[in-house]
Amino acid sequence: MKKWLLILTSLLLTFSLSSKAFAASEWKESVTIYGAGLENSPDKEKITQLLGTKDSDIVDYVYGNDTEKYINYRYDDNILFSSIRIMEKNSGGLKIDIDETYGKITQISPETYQNALITAGVTDADVTIAAPHDVTGESALTGIYKAYEVQGESLNTEYTKNAQDELNTISDITSENEGKDGYSESQLNKAITEIKITIINQINDGKDLTEDDVRQIVDEKLKDNGLQDVITDNQKNQIINIIIQIKNSGFFNEDSASKILDSSKDLLNQIKDSDAFKDAKEQAKNLGNDIKDFSQSEEGQGLIESIKSFFKSLIDSIKNLFN
């Protein structure tokens, strides 16, 4: 009997420690954050309905001082209309739903939001975004960061500012390449996600990456996604600069690296399954630029093997308890 109690206690301790190391705490209630421009607006009610806000939600507003704090740019309160509802989870990755019933997010795709949120440290959450009329969408991230603040879990502001810089980089490059054969935002998001995964894997393997190493990784991933002859040198340098900026913040060395990897892998799968990416892949093929499947690459296989190794070690540890 004592042996079984010891085994049970050991198992519970093992999974408890794993949970503390790799999982964020799931919230008891969702958070709705309205843009300050809706504070006294009749449009607030219809946005409430789109977001699915409930009486149990924590409700607040995002103001210009919040955008300055989290994304390093101050907006006037009266032009902030993007609103969000978010529920933090223990697992399951990021799910972004943009409801454009009344207004479109004109410059930011769900995948670009997701990529930036991962950089900010948000890896597992259900998010809905809506606005009462067409908006560019750059300030919506601030509402998500404000939600963590009101839940008492403020995010690292260096990470959130890097996330905004990343979002701006992707949006600017997409705007500059609008209508250009061989380019799509989904290709760039896939490339940047693969860059992050590769860097995390190499750092976790003990490699001290130099700026030249980062440049090489960026070159490889742009080529893997058919963008090597599409992205200009200036645009490539923008990508390199933001990746180095993120690396220097210590983000890739975080204890939660496994959650970042899981969420990034989930994003890759979403991108590959999207119609936009399938169209981009077909167009790239017609131009003679094949887009590689990351899961079949050396880095992708290494990630899969790392996951297999983790579970094998866990199973072996459990087996040893019975010996």
Side-chain angles (χ1 to χ4, degrees):
M1 183 67 177
K2 288 182 178 180
K3 181 179 179 180
W4 282 106
L5 285 173
L6 178 61
I7 291 170
L8 180 59
T9 302
S10 298
L11 286 171
L12 289 173
L13 180 60
T14 298
F15 287 108
S16 174
L17 289 173
S18 297
S19 177
K20 290 179 181 178
F22 303 118
S25 57
E26 184 167 314
W27 295 344
K28 293 182 179 179
E29 57 277 301
S30 296
V31 180
T32 294
I33 304 290
Y34 297 103
L38 291 172
E39 192 163 10
N40 297 303
S41 169
D43 288 333
K44 178 183 171 184
E45 180 57 35
K46 64 184 184 183
I47 296 302
T48 298
Q49 294 176 7
L50 292 187
L51 295 176
T53 301
K54 298 180 179 178
D55 292 340
S56 58
D57 282 17
I58 299 175
V59 176
D60 209 327
Y61 295 84
V62 61
Y63 300 99
N65 61 320
D66 296 314
T67 64
E68 184 174 25
K69 174 181 178 180
Y70 285 112
I71 65 174
N72 208 29
Y73 188 90
R74 188 179 186 96
Y75 290 90
D76 291 336
D77 291 349
N78 59 5
I79 67 168
L80 295 173
F81 291 100
S82 299
S83 303
I84 65 98
R85 185 173 188 258
I86 179 172
M87 169 60 87
E88 170 77 6
K89 306 176 298 180
N90 284 329
S91 60
L94 270 170
K95 301 293 184 292
I96 309 290
D97 176 34
I98 301 178
D99 192 315
E100 297 183 327
T101 301
Y102 297 113
K104 293 183 177 180
I105 305 296
T106 60
Q107 293 187 10
I108 316 296
S109 70
E111 291 82 11
T112 300
Y113 275 127
Q114 197 162 335
N115 230 333
L117 284 171
I118 292 171
T119 297
V122 180
T123 57
D124 298 282
D126 291 332
V127 180
T128 303
I129 301 172
H133 50 72
D134 289 359
V135 293
T136 56
E138 291 102 325
S139 63
L141 289 182
T142 305
I144 296 172
Y145 306 150
K146 181 71 175 283
Y148 281 84
E149 181 181 323
V150 301
Q151 282 280 14
E153 301 178 15
S154 293
L155 300 170
N156 184 320
T157 54
E158 184 176 7
Y159 293 173
T160 62
K161 290 173 182 177
N162 285 342
Q164 187 67 26
D165 288 344
E166 177 187 317
L167 183 147
N168 290 339
T169 297
I170 295 173
S171 299
D172 290 347
I173 292 175
T174 297
S175 177
E176 292 165 7
N177 288 284
E178 185 176 2
K180 191 173 184 178
D181 287 343
Y183 178 86
S184 73
E185 189 172 354
S186 60
Q187 284 168 273
L188 183 57
N189 268 308
K190 181 172 175 287
I192 288 179
T193 304
E194 291 172 359
I195 289 166
K196 293 178 189 175
I197 291 174
T198 301
I199 289 176
I200 291 174
N201 281 336
Q202 292 194 16
I203 287 176
N204 287 343
D205 286 340
K207 187 170 183 179
D208 185 15
L209 293 176
T210 65
E211 182 175 327
D212 286 341
D213 292 326
V214 173
R215 286 182 175 275
Q216 183 177 349
I217 292 169
V218 171
D219 281 338
E220 289 174 354
K221 295 309 165 190
L222 290 178
K223 183 177 180 180
D224 286 350
N225 287 280
L227 294 172
Q228 73 276 16
D229 297 323
V230 180
I231 297 291
T232 67
D233 287 342
N234 181 57
Q235 291 166 349
K236 182 170 71 174
N237 285 331
Q238 290 179 53
I239 296 169
I240 291 168
N241 289 339
I242 185 58
I243 294 297
I244 290 174
Q245 193 173 305
I246 295 168
K247 173 183 171 293
N248 290 343
S249 73
F251 173 78
F252 294 128
N253 303 82
E254 277 285 351
D255 293 337
S256 56
S258 63
K259 288 183 69 66
I260 297 167
L261 284 173
D262 286 344
S263 194
S264 296
K265 185 177 67 172
D266 183 59
L267 173 56
L268 277 183
N269 290 333
Q270 290 182 44
I271 292 173
K272 288 192 298 181
D273 290 340
S274 70
D275 291 337
F277 178 75
K278 291 175 182 176
D279 291 342
K281 187 171 183 177
E282 186 63 29
Q283 186 181 62
K285 185 177 180 181
N286 292 336
L287 293 171
N289 297 322
D290 189 34
I291 299 177
K292 294 184 178 179
D293 186 345
F294 180 77
S295 64
Q296 301 302 317
S297 69
E298 184 178 345
E299 294 91 350
Q301 288 297 316
L303 175 60
I304 292 170
E305 289 304 316
S306 295
I307 295 171
K308 288 180 179 177
S309 177
F310 168 77
F311 283 108
K312 183 178 183 301
S313 297
L314 181 60
I315 292 170
D316 288 343
S317 297
I318 295 172
K319 286 180 177 178
N320 290 335
L321 292 173
F322 291 87
N323 296 330

